[in-house]
Amino acid sequence: SKGSVSLILPNESFKEITVTDLAGREALRVTTKFNAPNTVNLELSNLPKGMYIISAKGNTTLRKKVVIE
């Protein structure tokens, strides 16, 4: 990814999204705002290059790895 990531979540029960680096340092935290049904756009272009883990937390937790180039 070069900066923007769209997440499609299975339902609207996810209240918070965090982006952490592989060392566990939090790079970004957002309260979910759905632009379209169940879709959240994250702007990550200001983060240093590297691999990050995006976690969507709610009733359950979803995790996705993303690489910033």
Side-chain angles (χ1 to χ4, degrees):
S1 173
K2 296 214 183 270
S4 183
V5 174
S6 292
L7 297 178
I8 299 174
L9 302 174
N11 58 52
E12 295 190 22
S13 66
F14 293 94
K15 304 297 183 207
E16 185 175 71
I17 296 173
T18 56
V19 179
T20 56
D21 63 18
L22 293 184
R25 291 182 295 254
E26 188 175 292
L28 178 68
R29 178 186 298 258
V30 293
T31 302
T32 54
K33 295 179 184 136
F34 292 96
N35 298 328
N38 303 341
T39 302
V40 179
N41 292 315
L42 298 176
E43 184 56 51
L44 305 178
S45 60
N46 59 337
L47 298 180
K49 293 179 183 179
M51 187 174 291
Y52 293 87
I53 299 172
I54 300 173
S55 299
K57 297 177 184 172
N59 296 336
T60 61
T61 300
L62 292 179
R63 287 189 176 85
K64 178 180 178 175
K65 288 183 182 176
V66 65
V67 176
I68 305 295
E69 301 173 339

